[in-house]
Amino acid sequence: MSSNVPSVAIITGEASGDLHGACLAASLKDIYPGIDISGVGGRRMREAGVRLLHDSSSWSAIGIAEALKLVPALLRAQGKLKKQLGSCPPDLVVLVDFGAFNLRLGTYLHARGVPVMYYFPPGSWKRSADYSRLRDVADRVVTPFPWSAESLSNQGFSADFFGHPLLDVVQPGMARDEFCRRFEFDPDRPIIGLLPGSRNQELLHILPALLISAARLIQTSPDLQFAVPLASSLNADAIERELARVPWIQSQSYCPRAHSNFDKVSRLPLSSVIAEQSREDRFTAPPSKVHVKLLPGMAYDVLAHSRAAIVSSGTATVEAAILGCPMVIVYRGSRMMTFEYRLLGRNIKYIGMPNIMLDRMLCPELRAEDANPTRIYGEISALIPDSNERSEMIHGLDEVRRLLGTPGAVRKTAMAVLDMLGVNLPAVGA
């Protein structure tokens, strides 16, 4: 150490990594307030008190074509980080997922004697992953899945499974009555969650299909209510303006007013995509409007208080499982993404984490062309009444939660970080 104050750099990439890095940073500061934490991340990391060396908010992408567009920027950022961390190395680097970026950076730093922990190792969700790529990267690995820790140990790594960190994070902020009162839902009528994802491209291609599915649902079950939790990375004002152009949608936003730095989102032709998908699905607009409420960052409350949800594949499927919300999982995107899926994705067994974890089809998955409003409507309709499908899914989600372990993983990981730093743990906070 260059001083008496231990220093840690936490390197994340996409939104989920930003969340996990922020939670770890907050826990470290809670246990050892004087610790110096820098890193790469987004809004959550900054709010957790991390001194950002680079902002990774714009680094997320879906599909190969979108990811390739980011390569030049990522290579520039990686080069700068190598110089920054190489010339003034922290006492420990914590890499969070984002393998294409972090494996190269970790190899560079590890070769120069910087201790490295890998938190959320790439491919940890696989039952039989090959972790040989970590051989020259990580001194210690903390993984969110028990089978991953076993595989890592069998391959010679120092590995820990403390439970899934989302168990510490995913919980509603308010009771159902308060939620309904604050956002003007009828507590006696079922709510259906529509979760299109946090990226612009997800919003553009998934939200239209979810809204058309909602319109089909309302024609057969007029008592349903619809909630769309919007990530802070999305411009709710621009989305509301786009939805106002669709005659059969009545949206109401509870999100704070957007800032001018979200201009990029306003250029997404959401209403045009809704019209295009309506034609493809041979959808006829309902006689009455579909009322949709746009809620700010309220995914956990929406999932906790919804009868069922339509969820974009990704971290949200784990969050829904933790909260016990029956779901239909969807994956769709641009024509290029559909083409990529035809080439590369047909042999992928499952895309939703609950199904991957159980190695069986618990939650319906609709991919690419199959993720159309008609198919979505058919699958979600079976989960709303007290059906066998709903009962079986609820029992299966209980099984998923048990596989995730017990809460406390974030604090245990923070203690592992301090252990690698050589901090005298019994004296922490003294």
PDB file of all heavy atoms in Angstrom, residues 123-147:
ATOM      1  N   GLY A 123     -19.792 -16.226 -17.633  1.00  0.00           N
ATOM      2  CA  GLY A 123     -20.290 -17.581 -17.851  1.00  0.00           C
ATOM      3  C   GLY A 123     -20.608 -18.340 -16.589  1.00  0.00           C
ATOM      4  O   GLY A 123     -20.807 -19.562 -16.635  1.00  0.00           O
ATOM      5  N   SER A 124     -20.703 -17.657 -15.455  1.00  0.00           N
ATOM      6  CA  SER A 124     -20.929 -18.361 -14.184  1.00  0.00           C
ATOM      7  C   SER A 124     -22.278 -19.063 -14.131  1.00  0.00           C
ATOM      8  O   SER A 124     -22.472 -19.979 -13.342  1.00  0.00           O
ATOM      9  CB  SER A 124     -20.803 -17.394 -13.008  1.00  0.00           C
ATOM     10  OG  SER A 124     -21.693 -16.298 -13.144  1.00  0.00           O
ATOM     11  N   TRP A 125     -23.211 -18.654 -14.977  1.00  0.00           N
ATOM     12  CA  TRP A 125     -24.537 -19.275 -14.992  1.00  0.00           C
ATOM     13  C   TRP A 125     -24.514 -20.654 -15.656  1.00  0.00           C
ATOM     14  O   TRP A 125     -25.445 -21.446 -15.486  1.00  0.00           O
ATOM     15  CB  TRP A 125     -25.528 -18.376 -15.732  1.00  0.00           C
ATOM     16  CG  TRP A 125     -25.022 -17.867 -17.042  1.00  0.00           C
ATOM     17  CD1 TRP A 125     -24.326 -16.730 -17.268  1.00  0.00           C
ATOM     18  CD2 TRP A 125     -25.155 -18.502 -18.319  1.00  0.00           C
ATOM     19  NE1 TRP A 125     -24.006 -16.594 -18.602  1.00  0.00           N
ATOM     20  CE2 TRP A 125     -24.512 -17.671 -19.275  1.00  0.00           C
ATOM     21  CE3 TRP A 125     -25.767 -19.683 -18.756  1.00  0.00           C
ATOM     22  CZ2 TRP A 125     -24.459 -17.993 -20.622  1.00  0.00           C
ATOM     23  CZ3 TRP A 125     -25.712 -20.000 -20.105  1.00  0.00           C
ATOM     24  CH2 TRP A 125     -25.064 -19.164 -21.016  1.00  0.00           C
ATOM     25  N   LYS A 126     -23.443 -20.959 -16.389  1.00  0.00           N
ATOM     26  CA  LYS A 126     -23.364 -22.253 -17.068  1.00  0.00           C
ATOM     27  C   LYS A 126     -23.060 -23.363 -16.069  1.00  0.00           C
ATOM     28  O   LYS A 126     -22.260 -23.183 -15.152  1.00  0.00           O
ATOM     29  CB  LYS A 126     -22.274 -22.225 -18.138  1.00  0.00           C
ATOM     30  CG  LYS A 126     -22.504 -21.237 -19.259  1.00  0.00           C
ATOM     31  CD  LYS A 126     -21.339 -21.248 -20.232  1.00  0.00           C
ATOM     32  CE  LYS A 126     -21.517 -20.213 -21.330  1.00  0.00           C
ATOM     33  NZ  LYS A 126     -20.349 -20.165 -22.243  1.00  0.00           N
ATOM     34  N   ARG A 127     -23.664 -24.509 -16.284  1.00  0.00           N
ATOM     35  CA  ARG A 127     -23.458 -25.630 -15.366  1.00  0.00           C
ATOM     36  C   ARG A 127     -22.076 -26.243 -15.509  1.00  0.00           C
ATOM     37  O   ARG A 127     -21.559 -26.820 -14.555  1.00  0.00           O
ATOM     38  CB  ARG A 127     -24.524 -26.707 -15.627  1.00  0.00           C
ATOM     39  CG  ARG A 127     -25.929 -26.291 -15.216  1.00  0.00           C
ATOM     40  CD  ARG A 127     -26.112 -26.396 -13.729  1.00  0.00           C
ATOM     41  NE  ARG A 127     -27.436 -25.957 -13.291  1.00  0.00           N
ATOM     42  CZ  ARG A 127     -27.914 -26.147 -12.064  1.00  0.00           C
ATOM     43  NH1 ARG A 127     -27.161 -26.761 -11.170  1.00  0.00           N
ATOM     44  NH2 ARG A 127     -29.096 -25.708 -11.740  1.00  0.00           N
ATOM     45  N   SER A 128     -21.482 -26.154 -16.661  1.00  0.00           N
ATOM     46  CA  SER A 128     -20.165 -26.767 -16.869  1.00  0.00           C
ATOM     47  C   SER A 128     -19.249 -25.789 -17.598  1.00  0.00           C
ATOM     48  O   SER A 128     -18.770 -26.064 -18.691  1.00  0.00           O
ATOM     49  CB  SER A 128     -20.300 -28.069 -17.671  1.00  0.00           C
ATOM     50  OG  SER A 128     -20.960 -27.832 -18.908  1.00  0.00           O
ATOM     51  N   ALA A 129     -19.015 -24.645 -16.980  1.00  0.00           N
ATOM     52  CA  ALA A 129     -18.208 -23.615 -17.619  1.00  0.00           C
ATOM     53  C   ALA A 129     -16.719 -23.939 -17.511  1.00  0.00           C
ATOM     54  O   ALA A 129     -16.257 -24.546 -16.538  1.00  0.00           O
ATOM     55  CB  ALA A 129     -18.490 -22.263 -16.973  1.00  0.00           C
ATOM     56  N   ASP A 130     -15.986 -23.511 -18.523  1.00  0.00           N
ATOM     57  CA  ASP A 130     -14.539 -23.626 -18.524  1.00  0.00           C
ATOM     58  C   ASP A 130     -13.965 -22.274 -18.096  1.00  0.00           C
ATOM     59  O   ASP A 130     -14.141 -21.268 -18.784  1.00  0.00           O
ATOM     60  CB  ASP A 130     -14.035 -23.994 -19.920  1.00  0.00           C
ATOM     61  CG  ASP A 130     -12.514 -24.062 -20.016  1.00  0.00           C
ATOM     62  OD1 ASP A 130     -11.848 -23.942 -18.969  1.00  0.00           O
ATOM     63  OD2 ASP A 130     -12.009 -24.231 -21.135  1.00  0.00           O
ATOM     64  N   TYR A 131     -13.304 -22.247 -16.954  1.00  0.00           N
ATOM     65  CA  TYR A 131     -12.796 -20.985 -16.406  1.00  0.00           C
ATOM     66  C   TYR A 131     -11.307 -20.788 -16.664  1.00  0.00           C
ATOM     67  O   TYR A 131     -10.654 -19.999 -15.978  1.00  0.00           O
ATOM     68  CB  TYR A 131     -13.078 -20.922 -14.899  1.00  0.00           C
ATOM     69  CG  TYR A 131     -14.547 -20.861 -14.569  1.00  0.00           C
ATOM     70  CD1 TYR A 131     -15.223 -21.972 -14.075  1.00  0.00           C
ATOM     71  CD2 TYR A 131     -15.268 -19.679 -14.745  1.00  0.00           C
ATOM     72  CE1 TYR A 131     -16.567 -21.917 -13.765  1.00  0.00           C
ATOM     73  CE2 TYR A 131     -16.624 -19.610 -14.445  1.00  0.00           C
ATOM     74  CZ  TYR A 131     -17.268 -20.736 -13.955  1.00  0.00           C
ATOM     75  OH  TYR A 131     -18.600 -20.673 -13.655  1.00  0.00           O
ATOM     76  N   SER A 132     -10.770 -21.484 -17.641  1.00  0.00           N
ATOM     77  CA  SER A 132      -9.332 -21.390 -17.899  1.00  0.00           C
ATOM     78  C   SER A 132      -8.903 -19.964 -18.245  1.00  0.00           C
ATOM     79  O   SER A 132      -7.754 -19.581 -18.007  1.00  0.00           O
ATOM     80  CB  SER A 132      -8.930 -22.358 -19.020  1.00  0.00           C
ATOM     81  OG  SER A 132      -9.651 -22.087 -20.210  1.00  0.00           O
ATOM     82  N   ARG A 133      -9.821 -19.162 -18.795  1.00  0.00           N
ATOM     83  CA  ARG A 133      -9.482 -17.773 -19.143  1.00  0.00           C
ATOM     84  C   ARG A 133      -9.146 -16.937 -17.911  1.00  0.00           C
ATOM     85  O   ARG A 133      -8.498 -15.896 -18.022  1.00  0.00           O
ATOM     86  CB  ARG A 133     -10.648 -17.120 -19.892  1.00  0.00           C
ATOM     87  CG  ARG A 133     -10.945 -17.709 -21.263  1.00  0.00           C
ATOM     88  CD  ARG A 133     -12.091 -16.976 -21.916  1.00  0.00           C
ATOM     89  NE  ARG A 133     -13.304 -17.036 -21.103  1.00  0.00           N
ATOM     90  CZ  ARG A 133     -14.388 -16.298 -21.308  1.00  0.00           C
ATOM     91  NH1 ARG A 133     -14.398 -15.414 -22.302  1.00  0.00           N
ATOM     92  NH2 ARG A 133     -15.453 -16.424 -20.525  1.00  0.00           N
ATOM     93  N   LEU A 134      -9.600 -17.386 -16.746  1.00  0.00           N
ATOM     94  CA  LEU A 134      -9.329 -16.644 -15.521  1.00  0.00           C
ATOM     95  C   LEU A 134      -7.973 -16.974 -14.910  1.00  0.00           C
ATOM     96  O   LEU A 134      -7.576 -16.365 -13.914  1.00  0.00           O
ATOM     97  CB  LEU A 134     -10.421 -16.928 -14.478  1.00  0.00           C
ATOM     98  CG  LEU A 134     -11.864 -16.539 -14.820  1.00  0.00           C
ATOM     99  CD1 LEU A 134     -12.782 -16.874 -13.666  1.00  0.00           C
ATOM    100  CD2 LEU A 134     -11.953 -15.057 -15.148  1.00  0.00           C
ATOM    101  N   ARG A 135      -7.286 -17.954 -15.496  1.00  0.00           N
ATOM    102  CA  ARG A 135      -6.062 -18.474 -14.883  1.00  0.00           C
ATOM    103  C   ARG A 135      -5.030 -17.376 -14.637  1.00  0.00           C
ATOM    104  O   ARG A 135      -4.397 -17.340 -13.588  1.00  0.00           O
ATOM    105  CB  ARG A 135      -5.456 -19.557 -15.796  1.00  0.00           C
ATOM    106  CG  ARG A 135      -4.373 -20.385 -15.159  1.00  0.00           C
ATOM    107  CD  ARG A 135      -4.928 -21.370 -14.152  1.00  0.00           C
ATOM    108  NE  ARG A 135      -5.877 -22.301 -14.762  1.00  0.00           N
ATOM    109  CZ  ARG A 135      -6.695 -23.067 -14.043  1.00  0.00           C
ATOM    110  NH1 ARG A 135      -6.684 -23.013 -12.731  1.00  0.00           N
ATOM    111  NH2 ARG A 135      -7.537 -23.899 -14.653  1.00  0.00           N
ATOM    112  N   ASP A 136      -4.853 -16.476 -15.577  1.00  0.00           N
ATOM    113  CA  ASP A 136      -3.872 -15.406 -15.439  1.00  0.00           C
ATOM    114  C   ASP A 136      -4.522 -14.072 -15.094  1.00  0.00           C
ATOM    115  O   ASP A 136      -3.963 -13.000 -15.365  1.00  0.00           O
ATOM    116  CB  ASP A 136      -3.070 -15.262 -16.734  1.00  0.00           C
ATOM    117  CG  ASP A 136      -2.283 -16.524 -17.065  1.00  0.00           C
ATOM    118  OD1 ASP A 136      -1.732 -17.132 -16.128  1.00  0.00           O
ATOM    119  OD2 ASP A 136      -2.247 -16.903 -18.256  1.00  0.00           O
ATOM    120  N   VAL A 137      -5.705 -14.141 -14.496  1.00  0.00           N
ATOM    121  CA  VAL A 137      -6.452 -12.924 -14.200  1.00  0.00           C
ATOM    122  C   VAL A 137      -6.737 -12.779 -12.708  1.00  0.00           C
ATOM    123  O   VAL A 137      -6.440 -11.744 -12.103  1.00  0.00           O
ATOM    124  CB  VAL A 137      -7.785 -12.896 -14.982  1.00  0.00           C
ATOM    125  CG1 VAL A 137      -8.607 -11.662 -14.612  1.00  0.00           C
ATOM    126  CG2 VAL A 137      -7.542 -12.938 -16.479  1.00  0.00           C
ATOM    127  N   ALA A 138      -7.340 -13.809 -12.109  1.00  0.00           N
ATOM    128  CA  ALA A 138      -7.922 -13.660 -10.781  1.00  0.00           C
ATOM    129  C   ALA A 138      -7.168 -14.433  -9.705  1.00  0.00           C
ATOM    130  O   ALA A 138      -6.824 -15.598  -9.893  1.00  0.00           O
ATOM    131  CB  ALA A 138      -9.381 -14.107 -10.815  1.00  0.00           C
ATOM    132  N   ASP A 139      -6.968 -13.769  -8.580  1.00  0.00           N
ATOM    133  CA  ASP A 139      -6.422 -14.433  -7.398  1.00  0.00           C
ATOM    134  C   ASP A 139      -7.534 -15.068  -6.574  1.00  0.00           C
ATOM    135  O   ASP A 139      -7.298 -16.041  -5.844  1.00  0.00           O
ATOM    136  CB  ASP A 139      -5.683 -13.416  -6.527  1.00  0.00           C
ATOM    137  CG  ASP A 139      -4.515 -12.791  -7.263  1.00  0.00           C
ATOM    138  OD1 ASP A 139      -3.475 -13.460  -7.385  1.00  0.00           O
ATOM    139  OD2 ASP A 139      -4.654 -11.638  -7.724  1.00  0.00           O
ATOM    140  N   ARG A 140      -8.721 -14.511  -6.684  1.00  0.00           N
ATOM    141  CA  ARG A 140      -9.872 -15.037  -5.945  1.00  0.00           C
ATOM    142  C   ARG A 140     -11.124 -14.728  -6.751  1.00  0.00           C
ATOM    143  O   ARG A 140     -11.206 -13.679  -7.403  1.00  0.00           O
ATOM    144  CB  ARG A 140      -9.955 -14.392  -4.549  1.00  0.00           C
ATOM    145  CG  ARG A 140     -11.018 -14.972  -3.631  1.00  0.00           C
ATOM    146  CD  ARG A 140     -10.833 -14.447  -2.214  1.00  0.00           C
ATOM    147  NE  ARG A 140     -11.808 -14.998  -1.292  1.00  0.00           N
ATOM    148  CZ  ARG A 140     -11.814 -14.772   0.029  1.00  0.00           C
ATOM    149  NH1 ARG A 140     -10.860 -14.014   0.570  1.00  0.00           N
ATOM    150  NH2 ARG A 140     -12.737 -15.296   0.815  1.00  0.00           N
ATOM    151  N   VAL A 141     -12.085 -15.625  -6.684  1.00  0.00           N
ATOM    152  CA  VAL A 141     -13.319 -15.466  -7.450  1.00  0.00           C
ATOM    153  C   VAL A 141     -14.509 -15.585  -6.502  1.00  0.00           C
ATOM    154  O   VAL A 141     -14.577 -16.502  -5.675  1.00  0.00           O
ATOM    155  CB  VAL A 141     -13.438 -16.526  -8.568  1.00  0.00           C
ATOM    156  CG1 VAL A 141     -14.691 -16.274  -9.404  1.00  0.00           C
ATOM    157  CG2 VAL A 141     -12.204 -16.525  -9.456  1.00  0.00           C
ATOM    158  N   VAL A 142     -15.440 -14.654  -6.613  1.00  0.00           N
ATOM    159  CA  VAL A 142     -16.716 -14.738  -5.896  1.00  0.00           C
ATOM    160  C   VAL A 142     -17.809 -14.843  -6.943  1.00  0.00           C
ATOM    161  O   VAL A 142     -17.937 -13.974  -7.809  1.00  0.00           O
ATOM    162  CB  VAL A 142     -16.950 -13.509  -4.991  1.00  0.00           C
ATOM    163  CG1 VAL A 142     -18.314 -13.603  -4.324  1.00  0.00           C
ATOM    164  CG2 VAL A 142     -15.858 -13.413  -3.926  1.00  0.00           C
ATOM    165  N   THR A 143     -18.584 -15.916  -6.886  1.00  0.00           N
ATOM    166  CA  THR A 143     -19.566 -16.212  -7.929  1.00  0.00           C
ATOM    167  C   THR A 143     -20.971 -16.293  -7.344  1.00  0.00           C
ATOM    168  O   THR A 143     -21.150 -16.670  -6.184  1.00  0.00           O
ATOM    169  CB  THR A 143     -19.198 -17.530  -8.638  1.00  0.00           C
ATOM    170  OG1 THR A 143     -20.153 -17.802  -9.669  1.00  0.00           O
ATOM    171  CG2 THR A 143     -19.163 -18.691  -7.665  1.00  0.00           C
ATOM    172  N   PRO A 144     -22.000 -15.936  -8.136  1.00  0.00           N
ATOM    173  CA  PRO A 144     -23.364 -15.904  -7.610  1.00  0.00           C
ATOM    174  C   PRO A 144     -24.114 -17.231  -7.688  1.00  0.00           C
ATOM    175  O   PRO A 144     -25.288 -17.274  -7.313  1.00  0.00           O
ATOM    176  CB  PRO A 144     -24.039 -14.851  -8.495  1.00  0.00           C
ATOM    177  CG  PRO A 144     -23.345 -14.987  -9.812  1.00  0.00           C
ATOM    178  CD  PRO A 144     -21.913 -15.318  -9.487  1.00  0.00           C
ATOM    179  N   PHE A 145     -23.448 -18.296  -8.167  1.00  0.00           N
ATOM    180  CA  PHE A 145     -24.140 -19.571  -8.311  1.00  0.00           C
ATOM    181  C   PHE A 145     -23.336 -20.694  -7.667  1.00  0.00           C
ATOM    182  O   PHE A 145     -22.108 -20.757  -7.831  1.00  0.00           O
ATOM    183  CB  PHE A 145     -24.384 -19.890  -9.790  1.00  0.00           C
ATOM    184  CG  PHE A 145     -25.203 -18.847 -10.497  1.00  0.00           C
ATOM    185  CD1 PHE A 145     -24.626 -18.023 -11.456  1.00  0.00           C
ATOM    186  CD2 PHE A 145     -26.536 -18.661 -10.189  1.00  0.00           C
ATOM    187  CE1 PHE A 145     -25.358 -17.050 -12.101  1.00  0.00           C
ATOM    188  CE2 PHE A 145     -27.289 -17.680 -10.828  1.00  0.00           C
ATOM    189  CZ  PHE A 145     -26.703 -16.877 -11.784  1.00  0.00           C
ATOM    190  N   PRO A 146     -23.983 -21.593  -6.940  1.00  0.00           N
ATOM    191  CA  PRO A 146     -23.251 -22.640  -6.208  1.00  0.00           C
ATOM    192  C   PRO A 146     -22.499 -23.600  -7.121  1.00  0.00           C
ATOM    193  O   PRO A 146     -21.380 -24.010  -6.805  1.00  0.00           O
ATOM    194  CB  PRO A 146     -24.350 -23.352  -5.415  1.00  0.00           C
ATOM    195  CG  PRO A 146     -25.638 -23.026  -6.103  1.00  0.00           C
ATOM    196  CD  PRO A 146     -25.444 -21.659  -6.679  1.00  0.00           C
ATOM    197  N   TRP A 147     -23.095 -23.971  -8.261  1.00  0.00           N
ATOM    198  CA  TRP A 147     -22.410 -24.892  -9.175  1.00  0.00           C
ATOM    199  C   TRP A 147     -21.167 -24.248  -9.782  1.00  0.00           C
ATOM    200  O   TRP A 147     -20.196 -24.924 -10.080  1.00  0.00           O
ATOM    201  CB  TRP A 147     -23.350 -25.370 -10.273  1.00  0.00           C
ATOM    202  CG  TRP A 147     -23.974 -24.262 -11.076  1.00  0.00           C
ATOM    203  CD1 TRP A 147     -23.431 -23.593 -12.131  1.00  0.00           C
ATOM    204  CD2 TRP A 147     -25.253 -23.666 -10.864  1.00  0.00           C
ATOM    205  NE1 TRP A 147     -24.284 -22.627 -12.602  1.00  0.00           N
ATOM    206  CE2 TRP A 147     -25.413 -22.653 -11.844  1.00  0.00           C
ATOM    207  CE3 TRP A 147     -26.293 -23.904  -9.967  1.00  0.00           C
ATOM    208  CZ2 TRP A 147     -26.569 -21.881 -11.927  1.00  0.00           C
ATOM    209  CZ3 TRP A 147     -27.433 -23.132 -10.046  1.00  0.00           C
ATOM    210  CH2 TRP A 147     -27.566 -22.134 -11.017  1.00  0.00           C
TER     211      TRP A 147
END
